Amino acid sequence: METLILKQTHDLEIAANILRQCGLVACPTETVYGLCGNALDEKVVENIFKAKGRPSDNPLIVHICSLDMLEQLVLEVSDDAKKLMDAFWPGPLTLIFKSKDIIPLKTRGNLKTVAIRFPSNKIIVELIKKSKLPLAAPSANISGKPSPTNIDRVIEDLYGKIDCIIDGGNCTIGLESTVVDVSSENMAILRPGVITTTMLKKIVPQINVPTNAEPIAPGMKYKHYAPFANVVIVKGEQLEKIAIKIQELVIKDKLNKKRVGILIVDELMNYFDNIPVLSLGSINNLENIASNLFEKLRQLDDLQLEQVYTIYLNDNNLGVSIMNRLVKACNNQIIEN
Ligand code: AMP
Ligand code: MG
């Protein structure tokens, strides 16, 4: 299939037309690049799952551009849901509602509920407006790989498999949306994101906070964000001690002739020589680390490393959301130091 690459300055009418004609368009959002298609068309949704290689019981998020659109898709909106919408929409918050029948079961992974987001990125909002369609849009990557935050990574995964890719530069946030279930009295955070638990609790204090136990969102049981290399997190109280521990581990791996690399923070860059070292950014700027994370995981793949060491940042606010992704990327391999 020929994939059309559009600059954001091009007329988005072309892309909207592709969407109306049942095609697939990858475009930027404020979180990560999304692979968009008509959420109301079962065949289109099937094609999204196919292009990504995504398991069919992992439901998609439906993107809207107005509250009128929301009303057409969901059965009820609680007062608390309204408060969250007032506070965080448009933006990186996905809410789970009871679904109307208009949304095919395929879109919602056979559930009675549906995930809805009103994004703030102008390009996707324009596409929804121009196509007049609610757009199902999972991240625009092959399932299991780190989500794409720039067009090069979308091209790497999906060129030739979809109709169009819109270049909108780098995504600002870099982590996928926070997901909150508002479909029952028992409101719960299903996936952490840049809208943190503290921010949500300010609006609805009774919201349930996730533990690290069972996956609660259907998609969370799957392998995610996994680079080719075996990634291990080193956790400890002091940054310097972490660096020394990683130095020891690296020496052992080098003796065993493993291709080893490090994903670290700016503050520890000087501890390592003669080894590929990537920085996530300064430990004092978690927003920047969040927006770099997926691209750095992709760069590890480019380096074709076998073994990578990285560090545990922290469990505060945005730290929770970053670690949620990094712990998955390393398949829960954490060394306490
Ligand atoms: P992604 O599209 O990869 O960002 O994933 C969307 C996330 O939202 C996944 O973790 C899904 O399991 C979750 N999700 C989507 N729809 C629902 C739903 N109806 N109920 C609960 N979680 C959902
Ligand atoms: Mg994804």
Side-chain angles (χ1 to χ4, degrees), residues 232-244:
V232 172
I233 296 179
V234 178
K235 186 174 184 178
E237 296 286 314
Q238 280 178 22
L239 275 183
E240 187 173 9
K241 280 197 178 159
I242 293 176
I244 292 167

Side-chain angles (χ1 to χ4, degrees), residues 52 54 138-139 141 147 176 191 224-225:
K52 278 180 63 73
R54 180 170 169 119
S139 49
N141 56 290
S147 304
E176 305 90 339
R191 177 172 74 184
H224 256 88
Y225 320 121

Side-chain angles (χ1 to χ4, degrees), residues 5-6 33 149-156 165-169:
I5 308 265
L6 286 182
Y33 271 74
T149 52
N150 59 59
I151 188 176
D152 294 341
R153 301 306 182 178
V154 180
I155 290 175
E156 203 171 279
I165 301 175
I166 301 173
D167 185 357

Side-chain angles (χ1 to χ4, degrees), residues 54 58-61 96 108 111 113-115 137-139 176 179 190-191 216-220 224:
R54 180 170 169 119
N58 188 0
L60 305 180
I61 296 173
I96 309 285
R108 44 192 159 111
L111 297 170
T113 52
V114 61
S139 49
E176 305 90 339
V179 180
L190 303 189
R191 177 172 74 184
I216 32 182
M220 286 163 67
H224 256 88

